[in-house]
Amino acid sequence: MYRTHTSGELRIAHNGTVVTLAGWVQTVRKFGAITFIDLRDRYGITQLVFAESLNEQLEKQPIGREFVLQATGTVRERTNKNANLATGDIEIAVSAFTILNRSAVPPFTIQDDTDGGDDLRMKYRFLDLRRPEVKRNLSLRYAVNRATRDYLHGQGFMDIETPFLIKSTPEGARDFVVPSRMNAGQFYALPQSPQTFKQLLMVSGYDRYYQIVRCFRDEDLRADRQPEFTQIDCEMSFVDQDDILRMFEGLVKHIFSTVKGVNYDEPVQRMRYDDALWLYGNDKPDIRFAMQLLNLKKPHHVLTDKQDSRGLIDGAGFVVFDNAETVLAIAVSGCADYTRKQLDELTEWVKRPQIGMQGLVYIRCNADGSYKSSVDKFYNEDKLKAIADAAGAKAGDLILILAGKEELTRKATSTLRLEMAERLGLRNPEHFKMLWVIDFPLFEFALEDMDGGGAGRWVARHHPFTSPKPDHIDIMINHGPTVDDPEKYLEHPYAGIKANAYDLVLNGNEIGGGSIRIYQRELQEKMFAALGLDAHEQQEKFGFLLGAFEYGAPPHGGLAFGFDRLCAILGGSESIRDFIAFPKNNAGRDVMLDAPGEIAEKQYRELHIKPA
Amino acid sequence: MYRTHTSGELRIAHNGTVVTLAGWVQTVRKFGAITFIDLRDRYGITQLVFAESLNEQLEKQPIGREFVLQATGTVRERTNKNANLATGDIEIAVSAFTILNRSAVPPFTIQDDTDGGDDLRMKYRFLDLRRPEVKRNLSLRYAVNRATRDYLHGQGFMDIETPFLIKSTPEGARDFVVPSRMNAGQFYALPQSPQTFKQLLMVSGYDRYYQIVRCFRDEDLRADRQPEFTQIDCEMSFVDQDDILRMFEGLVKHIFSTVKGVNYDEPVQRMRYDDALWLYGNDKPDIRFAMQLLNLKKPHHVLTDKQDSRGLIDGAGFVVFDNAETVLAIAVSGCADYTRKQLDELTEWVKRPQIGMQGLVYIRCNADGSYKSSVDKFYNEDKLKAIADAAGAKAGDLILILAGKEELTRKATSTLRLEMAERLGLRNPEHFKMLWVIDFPLFEFALEDMDGGGAGRWVARHHPFTSPKPDHIDIMINHGPTVDDPEKYLEHPYAGIKANAYDLVLNGNEIGGGSIRIYQRELQEKMFAALGLDAHEQQEKFGFLLGAFEYGAPPHGGLAFGFDRLCAILGGSESIRDFIAFPKNNAGRDVMLDAPGEIAEKQYRELHIKPA
């Protein structure tokens, strides 16, 4: 052992003890003939004091920042206590020291507020990882890992490892593939998730499975996507949706309690997908605050069960609203006194390409009960009041209204809602609120076929193993998937089929999602057919699963959490990269390793491939 | 919920309770008008009794083996109790049932003694996984996983995930590689181990790291090798070898205690590599029994510190011994009465190609104190007695002697020793004995260069990051790696350099190994150079690590356990495949998935490769 104690554990009770510490030099300060060094390790920082007698050695062996130092000395009480440091009551009067390793001057400062840019920090990730912030992030990640395992173990789940070298069955995302040396012309694929394996484990009777497991998707990397990412992957047999929701909201509550010290004891709300879109414009609403959408107008063919309030705006001759497919309003609390300049700035904000709206209509609900709007010309005070009342506005609030194409407008209003909440301080990252979104559509219609045919086709919104709602199974069985007019796909019966699928949303972020699975061979075949797989392709790609369903497959379901994102949100960050020890950049490169890289001619030969 | 209880938990105390169970039909038996079904789930088996009133439904919905059944009924005491079953005191008088899913007749019986051959069981692995033996294996694996995490967590280790898409730096084994779509002509590699990452984490100050992590090696698969396998991977900073040995023998003891209920409280012996070869002919000796080798003769250039006992055999004119490079003997306890036939059979056994010896010499140490040998012609009783005494034989023992080339003979004697122990019942799989083998050679000399040059070169016995013993560092610094005469490589100073490396051996199997690492840039460069990497290659392949060593790398070391093998040995098996949920066969294929497989033309195009 190079040390008797760590740099985080010495207290006044150790006064007089002779100790040896080993760690990194955080700072070196000289006061007259005395040298002070803050020694750092994973566990903390301890002040070392080098008396004059050591100056000869210090001159011969000068010590710099980030040197690795071993020092022996006696613990003594500090005259100048540092209340910000756990070890701040003591210091070590050093009697002997050894430089275990030297350090060049780091290319950036090893502190929370570093002067290192993103590229530099990634290239020297081993130094970036020394920064307290990154250490806190990885410690939190480990704590979440540990809490997850403890909870699931307590609930009877077994960690069962599934293979990484599997078969390429590209359905949704693109697979990473691995050429096989021993099987010329053939490739393994890296799993996008252990989905089919965990289902097979249910067929095998393992009842409750989990894994914290790496997954791979070769997609173009949008901000905050990684080609390899980690899932908490779970599956249970003999359960219905309610069993699963209760089990896994329990998991997140356990994580809150053990990792964050947050006692989350309120019930977790459940919201239908249609209601989420109707009330928040979004299938992962942040419900820490209300600010629900007033649907002044929406097209008849979407959210068909919902009635809009078009009576409040129709007949006024305001062509913007009259021509719009969709008109949505939100009431922003206490903002009636926004200045002209502030409103102009907001208008510019919604007109940015990322939002894409043409303009913004406002109604001030003045404190004196009067109303003032940018469309006073078309709506008198009574009409404005009626809209304000329907939006749930009170005196002092500001109503913002967007109008345009359905999808664009709903999304823009949702984004505006989040933006206003942010400005009002309603999105405190240390305030957590979960929400289950349920009853998702089983299918989405992809207007552009991936192979360029362009006819459009149904794709699984969740994945092809998701079960329809029991009373929607007949719709699938009684109708074929063919869509005659892609423009009118919403009129096809498949558009109305809901899935036994659910997402867990935390503070407006989807942290997990899953479904009750299909476990009958016939229904699974019907599902594959709906997605355009003929019998031959079904057999080739998923024959093992269809086969397994013939030998007593139990009812089962599960879900997966995005582990990186869950950690990021719990850590109060929006970026998953800060919570991954060795992340890749947006081009999928590890700039520290300089990977990917070229391979030798011999490797090409052995793998039966050549450069294109 | 489909059930109120599992099939493993009902006891006489539940008498009279109405319960619902769900599970698989193990057996269906009819006695007169009554039907008995054993219902199975992960947790056990419960007997269901279907009274006559259900016969109408049973006729319409006949139930077969492996059907998935949900049954509701009342718990009642059995008249015919089954003491072999945890639930054997009770049965369920069924009032209603639902067939949740049907099953085809399984292609083999779902029992410990199955009639399924290896190929069939692998193709239908989801059924094989239902067999009690496989379930026990995977449960044991999970228990070892859990015990490992608990121990390491308690010791302050952090699970930190390292990347799977890294850079190809083939040194020892072949890498699996992954073509990059976004970086044309470039490839990721899958990690053979997270070695360099865990070292970087030590440089970053994480102090104690662990991971239970998948690793990949594209090697020709000998029996019981898998292309993907799992390691318990650990690293610590500011430690010497003794710290690591104590920490990780503690881990295995903890696993013994929690998983096997074995209180392993004896100290773990440590043995130098040279002594292991000398005494057991092997660097992973099974020390559950003694039967140590008597080195009658060995060449001067191996195990140079050891003195053989050639005086006991020299000068007798026995040309077999005189011409042999090496002569080794073992004393087999109580086998003096082996018959001629048994000895002939043993002689054939050592002459098999796998062993490759020319013959076998024996000495019977008779109960009456006389000696009888196959070489009586050359050695009188006094000489036989002297050999027997040196071998530690007592009256009633049988001495077996092999002679030939050093490497072959030592290996053969080691194998013969294990064989005799097996026959004598000295290798009880439920008797566990650990051993640390230490002081391994730093280098091995590879006579055949992998590129076909044939000059021979030094390769790292452990890996290129292993530190030499401190007092051997000068040998490396003061000598270049060039070997003039490959035949005499043992005379080169590098052959004598010992490493700070250690293997943990359990019952004759290497279950883990590791080393104290190099942490100084200069020494690491010297090591790379010894292995034939020039400065350019060093920088290209390991520049990130050399760079990291410039910024305050602490002394550190670690080890990795072969998790699959550890589980197999704890489970009393020699085959790791039985302890992996979805293993591959010897051709690296998953026969259930039929992977690897072909990929689409489009995938080739996107990945910038074509078939060779």
Side-chain angles (χ1 to χ4, degrees):
Chain A
M1 266 294 181
Y2 282 79
R3 60 189 176 201
T4 58
H5 295 76
T6 71
S7 291
E9 68 181 303
L10 293 172
R11 300 288 182 275
I12 195 71
H14 296 91
N15 197 11
T17 314
V18 175
V19 299
T20 300
L21 301 184
W24 286 263
V25 172
Q26 177 85 4
T27 55
V28 184
R29 299 183 310 274
K30 275 206 93 153
F31 286 108
I34 311 293
T35 302
F36 292 87
I37 286 183
D38 278 352
L39 193 72
R40 182 192 76 228
D41 66 13
R42 173 177 136 194
Y43 312 95
I45 286 178
T46 298
Q47 177 165 291
L48 309 178
V49 187
F50 294 70
E52 205 170 347
S53 56
L54 291 165
N55 280 353
E56 197 180 335
Q57 189 186 349
L58 282 172
E59 260 162 54
K60 276 192 224 145
Q61 302 172 353
I63 296 173
R65 265 172 47 206
E66 301 304 322
F67 275 42
V68 186
L69 195 68
Q70 183 185 39
T72 298
T74 306
V75 180
R76 71 181 183 205
E77 189 167 2
R78 267 163 88 158
T79 45
N80 235 340
K81 295 203 173 59
N82 180 346
N84 295 322
L85 217 56
T87 63
D89 285 353
I90 58 93
E91 63 190 8
I92 313 295
V94 174
S95 55
F97 71 90
T98 308
I99 294 175
L100 297 173
N101 217 340
R102 285 168 214 285
S103 174
V105 176
F108 50 85
T109 55
I110 313 284
Q111 289 165 4
D112 270 352
D113 285 325
T114 180
D115 52 355
D118 219 41
D119 289 351
L120 201 61
R121 292 197 293 112
M122 285 304 133
K123 183 166 155 65
Y124 294 92
R125 183 63 168 172
F126 47 87
L127 295 179
D128 196 37
L129 286 168
R130 286 187 189 162
R131 291 171 51 231
E133 183 190 352
V134 184
K135 280 197 182 170
R136 277 194 303 272
N137 292 349
L138 292 188
S139 296
L140 179 128
R141 185 181 177 109
Y142 176 52
V144 178
N145 180 326
R146 180 83 192 154
T148 300
R149 293 184 187 280
D150 282 348
Y151 177 85
L152 293 174
H153 179 76
Q155 298 288 341
F157 284 79
M158 271 174 77
D159 180 347
I160 302 178
E161 295 160 69
T162 53
F164 279 70
L165 296 172
I166 65 167
K167 188 172 179 166
S168 185
T169 53
E171 281 314 296
R174 230 182 257 107
D175 283 329
F176 281 105
V177 299
V178 181
S180 167
R181 183 178 54 85
M182 293 205 281
N183 303 271
Q186 299 195 324
F187 291 74
Y188 301 98
L190 300 179
Q192 296 185 27
S193 89
Q195 181 64 35
T196 51
F197 293 102
K198 66 177 176 176
Q199 292 193 242
L200 291 177
L201 289 171
M202 295 303 104
V203 175
S204 299
Y206 284 80
D207 207 71
R208 293 183 173 195
Y209 144 94
Y210 90 98
Q211 225 185 154
I212 299 182
V213 63
R214 200 69 50 86
C215 302
F216 305 86
R217 268 176 220 181
D218 186 12
E219 289 302 299
D220 294 325
L221 301 172
R222 284 182 276 155
D224 220 31
R225 281 276 178 100
Q226 290 278 320
E228 49 176 316
F229 54 97
T230 302
Q231 270 184 200
I232 304 171
D233 193 51
C234 306
E235 197 80 3
M236 304 172 74
S237 290
F238 301 116
V239 289
D240 55 32
Q241 178 168 302
D242 185 58
D243 300 320
I244 293 192
L245 303 196
R246 278 185 295 114
M247 177 64 74
F248 293 101
E249 66 193 43
L251 167 60
V252 181
K253 287 179 176 182
H254 176 77
I255 292 171
F256 277 130
S257 134
T258 55
V259 177
K260 300 291 293 184
V262 169
N263 182 19
Y264 194 114
D265 53 7
E266 60 184 302
V268 179
Q269 195 186 328
R270 299 176 188 183
M271 187 183 295
R272 293 172 57 244
Y273 169 86
D274 282 358
D275 293 328
L277 279 189
W278 181 254
L279 295 174
Y280 301 97
N282 192 312
D283 64 1
K284 44 181 181 183
D286 187 342
I287 59 163
R288 283 176 294 183
F289 55 97
M291 214 192 289
Q292 292 180 348
L293 275 55
L294 169 62
N295 282 260
L296 288 166
K297 190 175 171 186
K298 63 124 187 115
H300 296 294
H301 62 272
V302 298
L303 301 165
T304 44
D305 296 340
K306 307 284 187 187
Q307 296 297 324
D308 63 27
S309 308
R310 61 180 66 209
L312 294 173
I313 52 170
D314 275 357
F318 182 43
V319 291
V320 172
F321 287 178
D322 290 346
N323 293 344
E325 202 175 39
T326 295
V327 182
L328 301 171
I330 51 172
V332 186
S333 191
C335 290
D337 55 357
Y338 255 40
T339 62
R340 183 77 239 169
K341 195 174 155 205
Q342 281 175 303
L343 289 166
D344 286 348
E345 184 267 324
L346 262 189
T347 305
E348 288 313 308
W349 191 88
V350 302
K351 286 164 91 172
R352 293 178 314 149
Q354 300 95 307
I355 309 286
M357 300 306 295
Q358 301 288 327
L360 177 70
V361 169
Y362 68 83
I363 304 173
R364 294 183 202 271
C365 309
N366 293 321
D368 63 5
S370 69
Y371 295 88
K372 178 78 192 125
S373 170
S374 52
V375 288
D376 284 348
K377 243 196 292 192
F378 305 100
Y379 300 99
N380 62 27
E381 284 220 25
D382 283 352
K383 286 187 171 173
L384 295 176
K385 179 176 189 315
I387 295 172
D389 288 349
K394 44 187 199 328
D397 291 357
L398 176 70
I399 292 174
L400 301 173
I401 308 177
L402 295 174
K405 294 285 283 182
E406 161 65 19
E407 209 179 312
L408 187 77
T409 307
R410 196 165 292 276
K411 196 171 162 212
T413 314
S414 165
T415 310
L416 179 63
R417 174 180 173 269
L418 292 176
E419 172 69 16
M420 296 315 295
E422 193 73 51
R423 295 185 185 194
L424 291 173
L426 302 174
R427 305 195 73 195
N428 173 6
E430 291 297 318
H431 172 206
F432 297 102
K433 192 125 180 175
M434 283 193 273
L435 168 72
W436 286 109
V437 177
I438 58 174
D439 294 0
F440 279 86
L442 185 64
F443 295 108
E444 281 178 337
F445 194 75
L447 275 170
E448 294 165 305
D449 189 292
M450 297 193 70
D451 292 317
R457 60 179 187 124
W458 296 108
V459 294
R461 188 183 160 94
H462 192 64
H463 57 49
F465 314 106
T466 297
S467 167
K469 290 259 150 208
D471 48 354
H472 288 187
I473 290 178
D474 278 350
I475 306 177
M476 253 178 91
I477 290 177
N478 297 331
H479 296 87
T482 310
V483 174
D484 295 322
D485 180 356
E487 290 295 311
K488 295 189 179 164
Y489 74 90
L490 277 167
E491 293 168 17
H492 189 282
Y494 278 23
I497 301 178
K498 299 294 186 188
N500 254 331
Y502 31 82
D503 277 357
L504 185 54
V505 174
L506 176 60
N507 293 3
N509 298 279
E510 180 208 323
I511 57 168
S515 61
I516 299 295
R517 323 300 184 185
I518 297 170
Y519 65 102
Q520 310 92 333
R521 179 172 178 136
E522 302 69 29
L523 187 57
Q524 186 66 67
E525 286 174 339
K526 187 83 191 168
M527 183 71 189
F528 285 142
L531 301 174
L533 289 177
D534 64 30
H536 174 77
E537 288 169 304
Q538 291 183 24
Q539 195 52 43
E540 182 175 323
K541 293 184 172 175
F542 298 107
F544 61 96
L545 188 68
L546 292 171
F549 285 177
E550 284 188 33
Y551 293 98
H556 62 287
L559 92 177
F561 288 91
F563 185 56
D564 308 300
R565 183 160 314 281
L566 176 60
C567 294
I569 296 169
L570 291 172
S573 166
E574 300 264 308
S575 164
I576 64 171
R577 230 171 67 169
D578 297 343
F579 291 78
I580 296 173
F582 298 100
K584 295 188 173 52
N585 73 9
N586 282 343
R589 294 197 70 84
D590 183 321
V591 294
M592 180 187 73
L593 297 180
D594 194 21
E598 283 162 22
I599 59 171
E601 183 54 42
K602 183 175 171 233
Q603 287 175 287
Y604 274 104
R605 270 201 317 276
E606 288 181 336
L607 298 172
H608 321 284
I609 55 171
K610 41 185 193 181
Chain B
M1 266 294 183
Y2 282 80
R3 60 189 177 201
T4 59
H5 295 77
T6 72
S7 289
E9 67 179 304
L10 294 172
R11 300 287 182 274
I12 194 73
H14 296 91
N15 197 10
T17 314
V18 176
V19 299
T20 300
L21 301 183
W24 287 264
V25 173
Q26 177 86 4
T27 55
V28 184
R29 299 182 311 273
K30 276 206 90 152
F31 287 108
I34 311 293
T35 303
F36 292 87
I37 286 183
D38 278 351
L39 194 72
R40 183 192 76 229
D41 66 14
R42 173 177 137 194
Y43 312 94
I45 287 179
T46 299
Q47 177 165 291
L48 309 179
V49 186
F50 295 69
E52 205 170 346
S53 57
L54 291 165
N55 280 353
E56 197 181 333
Q57 190 187 349
L58 281 172
E59 261 163 54
K60 277 192 223 142
Q61 303 173 352
I63 295 173
R65 265 172 45 207
E66 301 303 324
F67 275 42
V68 185
L69 195 68
Q70 184 185 39
T72 298
T74 308
V75 180
R76 71 182 183 204
E77 189 167 1
R78 267 163 87 157
T79 45
N80 235 340
K81 295 203 173 57
N82 181 345
N84 296 321
L85 217 57
T87 63
D89 285 354
I90 58 94
E91 62 191 8
I92 312 297
V94 174
S95 56
F97 71 90
T98 308
I99 295 175
L100 296 174
N101 216 341
R102 284 167 214 286
S103 174
V105 176
F108 51 84
T109 54
I110 313 283
Q111 289 164 5
D112 270 351
D113 286 323
T114 180
D115 53 353
D118 218 41
D119 289 351
L120 201 62
R121 292 197 292 110
M122 284 304 134
K123 184 165 154 61
Y124 294 91
R125 182 64 168 171
F126 48 87
L127 295 178
D128 197 37
L129 286 169
R130 286 186 190 164
R131 292 171 50 231
E133 184 190 351
V134 184
K135 280 198 183 170
R136 277 194 302 272
N137 292 349
L138 293 188
S139 296
L140 179 127
R141 185 180 178 109
Y142 176 51
V144 178
N145 179 325
R146 181 84 190 152
T148 300
R149 293 182 188 280
D150 283 348
Y151 177 85
L152 293 174
H153 178 77
Q155 298 289 341
F157 285 79
M158 271 174 77
D159 180 347
I160 302 177
E161 295 160 68
T162 53
F164 279 71
L165 296 172
I166 66 168
K167 187 171 179 168
S168 185
T169 53
E171 280 315 295
R174 230 182 256 107
D175 283 328
F176 280 104
V177 298
V178 181
S180 168
R181 182 177 54 85
M182 292 205 279
N183 303 272
Q186 299 195 324
F187 292 74
Y188 300 99
L190 301 179
Q192 296 185 26
S193 90
Q195 181 63 35
T196 49
F197 293 101
K198 66 178 176 176
Q199 293 192 242
L200 290 178
L201 289 171
M202 294 304 104
V203 175
S204 299
Y206 285 81
D207 207 70
R208 295 184 170 193
Y209 143 95
Y210 90 99
Q211 223 184 156
I212 299 182
V213 63
R214 198 69 50 85
C215 301
F216 305 85
R217 269 177 220 181
D218 186 12
E219 290 303 300
D220 294 325
L221 301 173
R222 284 182 276 155
D224 219 32
R225 282 275 178 100
Q226 290 278 319
E228 49 175 316
F229 54 97
T230 302
Q231 270 184 200
I232 304 171
D233 193 51
C234 307
E235 197 80 4
M236 304 171 74
S237 290
F238 300 116
V239 288
D240 54 32
Q241 178 169 300
D242 185 59
D243 299 320
I244 292 192
L245 302 196
R246 278 186 293 112
M247 177 63 74
F248 292 102
E249 65 193 45
L251 167 59
V252 180
K253 286 180 177 184
H254 177 77
I255 292 171
F256 277 130
S257 135
T258 54
V259 177
K260 301 290 294 182
V262 169
N263 182 17
Y264 195 114
D265 52 8
E266 59 184 304
V268 178
Q269 197 187 326
R270 298 176 188 183
M271 188 183 294
R272 293 172 57 244
Y273 169 85
D274 282 358
D275 293 328
L277 279 190
W278 181 254
L279 296 173
Y280 300 96
N282 191 314
D283 64 1
K284 45 182 183 184
D286 187 342
I287 58 164
R288 282 176 296 182
F289 54 98
M291 215 191 289
Q292 291 180 349
L293 275 55
L294 170 62
N295 282 259
L296 288 165
K297 190 176 171 188
K298 62 125 188 112
H300 296 294
H301 61 273
V302 298
L303 301 165
T304 43
D305 295 340
K306 306 285 186 187
Q307 296 297 324
D308 62 27
S309 308
R310 59 181 67 208
L312 294 174
I313 52 170
D314 274 357
F318 182 43
V319 291
V320 172
F321 286 178
D322 290 347
N323 293 344
E325 202 176 39
T326 295
V327 182
L328 300 172
I330 52 172
V332 186
S333 191
C335 290
D337 55 356
Y338 255 40
T339 63
R340 183 78 237 169
K341 195 173 154 205
Q342 282 175 301
L343 289 165
D344 286 348
E345 183 266 327
L346 261 189
T347 306
E348 289 312 308
W349 191 88
V350 302
K351 287 164 88 172
R352 294 178 314 149
Q354 301 95 309
I355 310 287
M357 301 306 295
Q358 301 286 327
L360 177 70
V361 169
Y362 69 83
I363 304 173
R364 295 182 202 273
C365 310
N366 293 321
D368 63 4
S370 69
Y371 295 87
K372 178 78 191 126
S373 169
S374 52
V375 290
D376 283 349
K377 243 196 289 190
F378 304 99
Y379 299 98
N380 61 25
E381 284 220 27
D382 282 353
K383 285 187 172 172
L384 295 177
K385 179 176 188 315
I387 295 173
D389 287 349
K394 44 186 201 325
D397 291 356
L398 176 70
I399 292 174
L400 301 174
I401 308 176
L402 295 174
K405 294 286 282 182
E406 161 66 19
E407 208 179 314
L408 187 76
T409 306
R410 197 164 292 276
K411 196 171 162 210
T413 313
S414 165
T415 310
L416 179 63
R417 173 180 174 270
L418 293 176
E419 173 68 17
M420 297 314 295
E422 192 72 52
R423 295 185 184 193
L424 291 173
L426 302 174
R427 305 195 73 195
N428 172 6
E430 291 296 319
H431 173 207
F432 296 101
K433 192 125 179 172
M434 284 192 273
L435 169 72
W436 285 108
V437 178
I438 58 174
D439 293 1
F440 279 85
L442 185 64
F443 295 108
E444 281 178 337
F445 194 74
L447 276 168
E448 294 165 307
D449 190 291
M450 298 192 70
D451 292 317
R457 59 179 187 123
W458 297 106
V459 294
R461 188 185 160 92
H462 192 65
H463 57 48
F465 315 106
T466 296
S467 167
K469 290 258 150 210
D471 47 356
H472 288 188
I473 290 178
D474 278 350
I475 307 177
M476 255 179 88
I477 289 177
N478 297 331
H479 296 87
T482 309
V483 174
D484 295 323
D485 180 357
E487 289 294 312
K488 295 190 180 164
Y489 75 90
L490 277 167
E491 293 167 18
H492 188 282
Y494 277 23
I497 301 179
K498 300 293 185 189
N500 254 331
Y502 32 80
D503 277 357
L504 185 54
V505 174
L506 176 61
N507 293 0
N509 298 277
E510 181 207 322
I511 57 168
S515 61
I516 299 296
R517 323 299 185 186
I518 297 170
Y519 65 101
Q520 310 92 331
R521 177 170 180 139
E522 302 69 29
L523 187 58
Q524 187 64 67
E525 286 174 339
K526 186 83 190 166
M527 182 72 189
F528 285 142
L531 301 174
L533 289 178
D534 65 30
H536 174 76
E537 289 169 304
Q538 291 183 25
Q539 194 52 42
E540 182 175 322
K541 292 184 172 177
F542 299 107
F544 62 95
L545 188 68
L546 292 171
F549 285 177
E550 283 188 32
Y551 293 97
H556 62 288
L559 94 177
F561 289 91
F563 185 57
D564 307 301
R565 183 160 315 280
L566 176 61
C567 293
I569 296 169
L570 292 173
S573 167
E574 300 264 309
S575 163
I576 64 170
R577 230 171 65 170
D578 298 342
F579 290 79
I580 296 173
F582 299 99
K584 295 188 174 53
N585 73 9
N586 282 345
R589 293 197 70 83
D590 183 321
V591 294
M592 178 187 74
L593 297 181
D594 194 21
E598 284 162 23
I599 59 170
E601 184 54 43
K602 181 175 171 234
Q603 287 175 289
Y604 274 104
R605 268 201 319 276
E606 288 182 335
L607 298 172
H608 320 284
I609 56 171
K610 30 183 204 187

